[in-house]
Each structure stands twice: as structure tokens, then as C-alpha cells.
Amino acid sequence: MQWDVSVSQATLLTLCIGLCVGLLATSLALWISLATCWFRIAGSRLAIALVSSFLLIPLYVQATAWSAGFGSNGWLRLSQVDASKHPWMGLASVIWIHTCSATPYCFWMLTLGLRRTYDPIVDQSLVESGPSRTLWYQILPKLKLWLLASFLWGFASVHYDMVVTNLFQIPTLCESVYQQVQFGKLRSLPILFAWGISIATGLALSLGAILPRISSTNRSQMVKDSTTQLAFSKTHRAFLNLLTWTALLVCFVVPWLNLISRMGFRSSIVEGKGVRIWSLSECATSLWHVQDFTGELGWSLQLSLWATALSIALASILLWIGRKPNGQVLAIGLLGCMLATPGPLINLAIGQLLNRCLPASLSFLSDRTLLGPILALQFRVLPVVFGLLWITRQQYQDRLGDLMQLERQLPATTRMYSWVRYSQWGWITTFCIGFSIAFGDLASYLLVQPPGVTTLAMRMFDLLHYGTKNREAGLAVALAILGAISSLLWVRSLHRGR
């Protein structure tokens, strides 16, 4: 049990893992972003698609993938038993899985930063000083805010989720508070520390989201990629290609191979000895048995649809209310804190709300409806939905803002209808992304599920503690395929919008 771990130890582990993940994910994302958008390695489009395909793959699916490939006999110990025997290996496992999960988001943050900070001065510096000095003295200084936002995202991903730390029994603040809430052993000091870190991280994330926009208000649109062809020798270019594709294969191809390999193995007894045989037919059988989880799928679909619909409604209200700059800053700051709030604290807050604030006549809402999980998911879905709709509105104002200023006399409903109609694909994309996030989240509503409700996320989380078998690997592959398709569709819509 980790509920009684000391606050100093839990805080130290939280900061250690968060700093490592933030630094590693930001460094890896920066390298891939430079390699694909600036150095133009071979197969840049394929590399971008490969990284982007992991954007909406749930964390527990990625944990399943690494657990499937590197179990107790592998080079990286990814089981509870080995983690308890070798705490440093468990710590390394948590850092590695969180790094691979955060890298796609950090990659797109830094790619967006590269495109917004690129200007003719960089082209001139490339000609006069070469790519190395341009990188150190022109590109990186302009990316400071984007690098900070990327680091904070990696840190926040560790602080607000306890799926991986629970799997390896690493007593971070989030894991400690989760077990306190689960077993009713609440301690005020860890909760205050967890709230404090989440608020500080959320406000810093909000500041990182606002400042790049302020610094680029004089630009009417995103700066396009540079057309300058960097001059490298064949040896240097081959080294860049090899290094980048090695990192991509290790972080984003190996997990797929892990799941496929585990999905196709079948164990049998031959002459008194256990024999493992891999076959395509067993892979097909494992995928076929995904239908065994239809009940969990139904609950996940209901919960995700209701949570996303509520998030879009609330985000629309916030956008309408916060039309002034001060209102936007306040809304973004609040939502940033919500996004960085640890899942166990969300469970605690929603549980207290439903148990103490609802009158006795409405007590059935917490035990017989999905109200608790729907409200809890707003901490994850609403900030993302609001951010996407806010970006959509900013693009609309950049393109048609002057025209709408001339038509101020039109009714507000007419102007609202014009915006919604113009950005209809943005709304559809926002709904799909919000749905994917709600579908893949677990930590925010794990302890407020009503009796008899088990989502796919909950089932996968339970199965992870007992090792990854064929059917679990097949389910993880199906969820990973859905997440990858959703991610690539979003990236495609982003390029079309740009």
C-alpha cells in the first residue's frame, strides 16, 4: 500500500519522474521536429504520420504494448513483481512509457513553434552562418516559450495520471492520493501538495498557451515551412536519417510489434513441455474475440458521447462569455488548472459533490447514472475542446474578422450562425478529438463509477495487472488502430485548415 508513504518521498518521486519525462520527451520531440521540418530527412511525411498516429492512443494501451513486448524476461522489466524487486527498473519503466506517450504532443507543439518562428532572418543566417549556428543562435532562442510548454506538458502528464505508476507501484503524489481516496485514508498534506503542483503547472501551461499567440498577433497566418535546402554532405545526411529513424522505430514501431507478437502466440503442451507457437490464425482469433468486450464498449461509448456533448456546450458558453481578452485569459487559466489536476483529486472532488451536495431525493444520480464520470471527464475533455474551438475562432477572425466588423449591426445569433457554419469541420474535428480523449481516459473517473458500470479503460486497467495475454493484446490492437486513425484524421484536417 502506498497511501501512507511520506510526503517528501512522494513529492521527490513526482518531481524526479516529471522532470525526466519533460526533458526526454521535449528533447526527442525537438529532434524529430527539426529532422522532419528543417533537415528534411528521407520519408519526412511518413515520420510525421508515424509520430502523429500515437496522439490519441490511450496511455493504458501504450502501457499494454510495452508490457506485452518486454515482460519479466525482457530487457526492461514491465511487471509489478519485478518492479517491487527492482524499484529502479520500475522507475525507469514509468519514465519510458510516459516519455513515449508525451512525445507526440510535444512534437506538435514544437513543430507549430518552428513554423511560427521561422522568418527571412533565418534564411539569411543559413546562408551566412550555416545550419549549426543558425540552430543555436536563431531557432532555439525563439523556441523558448514552446520548449517550456512542451516540458510542462510532459511533466503534467506524469502528475495527473496514475495508471502507469499504479501498475509498477511507484509512490508518486498522484498514486499516493489515489490509494488514500480508494481506501478512505485521506491525509491533508499530500492532497495540498498535489493541488499546489497541479495549480502551478496548470497556470504555467496556460501562460505558455497565451504568450505565443500574443507574440504572433502581427502575423495574419502561420508561417510556412522553409523552402531553403540545407546543404549537408552525404555522410551527415545519412547519419541524420539513421539516427532519426532509429528513434522512431524504437518509440513508435516497437509497441505495434509487441502487441502483434503477443496477439499471435499460443501456448501448448508437447511431450510434457510447454511450447509457444506464433501464427496468423491466432492473431485473427484474438481480434475476433474483441466482441467479448461489447458490454464494456457500450458503456464507454455512452460515457464518451455524453461527456463530449457537455464539454462542447460548456466550451461554447465560455467562448461566448469570454470574448474580451481578460475573459479569455481567465478561462484559459482555469482550464489549464483543470487539465493538470491529478485524477484522484478529481475523483475526490466529484465524490464529495455527489455525496454531500445533492439532496436525498436526487441521491440516485450518483449510484444509477453516469453523472459522476461525465462530470469528472470535464477536467480532461473541456480544456482540449475549448482550446480547439478557441483556435478555430482565432482562424475565423484572422480571415473574416474585418468583414464581420463591418456587419456589427447584424443580430448576435446571425453572427454566431455564420461562425458555426464557416467552421463546421472544426466543430466536427473537435467532437471527434474530445470523444477520443473521453474514451481513452481512466484516472479522472476510476473511483466514481456507479456499481455495475465497467468501461473498456477499466477492464484493460484490471487486465494489465495480470499480464498481457492474447485476447487482451487483440483488444489493445483494436483500440490502438482506432486511436491511430482518429489521430491521422485530425492531422489531415489540420493541414487542410492551414
Side-chain angles (χ1 to χ4, degrees), residues 50-320:
L50 183 60
V51 177
S52 302
S53 65
F54 276 73
L55 280 168
L56 298 178
I57 295 180
L59 177 61
Y60 58 84
V61 173
Q62 297 189 45
T64 302
W66 290 108
S67 180
F70 304 107
S72 58
N73 296 321
W75 63 276
L76 187 60
R77 304 301 198 266
L78 294 179
S79 68
Q80 286 189 88
V81 177
D82 290 315
S84 62
K85 294 179 181 178
H86 308 281
W88 288 107
M89 296 305 295
L91 193 65
S93 303
V94 171
I95 292 173
W96 176 254
I97 293 174
H98 272 291
T99 297
C100 293
S101 177
T103 296
Y105 296 93
C106 298
F107 166 79
W108 273 104
M109 288 181 187
L110 297 180
T111 299
L112 181 63
L114 278 175
R115 290 171 175 173
R116 285 192 176 275
T117 57
Y118 206 97
D119 53 33
I121 298 178
V122 175
D123 284 331
Q124 182 180 357
S125 178
L126 284 171
V127 176
E128 297 177 354
S129 305
S132 298
R133 292 182 64 84
T134 301
L135 175 64
W136 285 106
Y137 297 104
Q138 292 292 334
I139 298 295
L140 292 182
K142 295 179 180 179
L143 281 178
K144 287 186 293 185
L145 289 176
W146 300 92
L147 290 169
L148 177 61
S150 174
F151 171 82
L152 290 172
W153 181 271
F155 182 87
S157 67
V158 174
H159 183 60
Y160 69 63
D161 197 279
M162 33 57 61
V163 170
V164 182
T165 54
N166 182 264
L167 181 64
F168 302 110
Q169 296 298 295
I170 303 298
T172 59
L173 275 174
C174 187
E175 174 62 21
S176 176
V177 174
Y178 164 70
Q179 295 205 15
Q180 290 177 43
V181 177
Q182 183 181 20
F183 298 108
K185 303 288 187 178
L186 297 180
R187 298 163 57 203
S188 58
L189 199 56
I191 293 175
L192 290 176
F193 269 71
W195 273 118
I197 293 177
S198 64
I199 291 174
T201 306
L203 291 177
L205 273 172
S206 304
L207 190 63
I210 295 171
L211 288 181
R213 176 69 189 175
I214 295 175
S215 64
S216 59
T217 51
N218 295 329
R219 301 186 180 191
S220 60
Q221 60 182 0
M222 184 182 296
V223 180
K224 298 182 178 179
D225 293 341
S226 170
T227 57
T228 303
Q229 182 67 37
L230 300 183
F232 289 103
S233 66
K234 291 184 177 180
T235 302
H236 287 165
R237 188 164 292 278
F239 176 74
L240 290 173
N241 280 275
L242 177 62
L243 187 62
T244 304
W245 276 105
T246 299
L248 290 170
L249 290 174
V250 170
C251 296
F252 304 110
V253 175
V254 169
W256 287 100
L257 298 179
N258 291 342
L259 288 175
I260 293 172
S261 65
R262 182 60 60 90
M263 187 172 59
F265 275 115
R266 180 179 59 189
S267 300
S268 59
I269 303 297
V270 178
E271 298 180 354
K273 296 182 179 180
V275 178
R276 299 183 68 195
I277 302 174
W278 191 91
S279 64
L280 286 175
S281 62
E282 189 65 27
C283 288
T285 302
S286 299
L287 282 176
W288 174 256
H289 280 288
V290 171
Q291 62 182 331
D292 297 340
F293 301 92
T294 52
E296 292 84 353
L297 177 61
W299 285 117
S300 295
L301 291 176
Q302 290 185 59
L303 178 58
S304 302
L305 286 172
W306 284 110
T308 307
L310 179 60
S311 293
I312 288 181
L314 293 176
S316 302
I317 295 173
L318 287 175
L319 282 173
W320 186 255

Side-chain angles (χ1 to χ4, degrees), residues 16 46 100 117 127 138 145 222 260 271 323 345 375 393 408 417 445 471:
C16 176
L46 178 60
C100 293
T117 57
V127 176
Q138 292 292 334
L145 289 176
M222 184 182 296
I260 293 172
E271 298 180 354
R323 286 173 293 173
L345 293 182
L375 293 177
R393 190 177 71 173
R408 285 184 176 181
Y417 174 77
Y445 68 88
R471 295 185 181 183

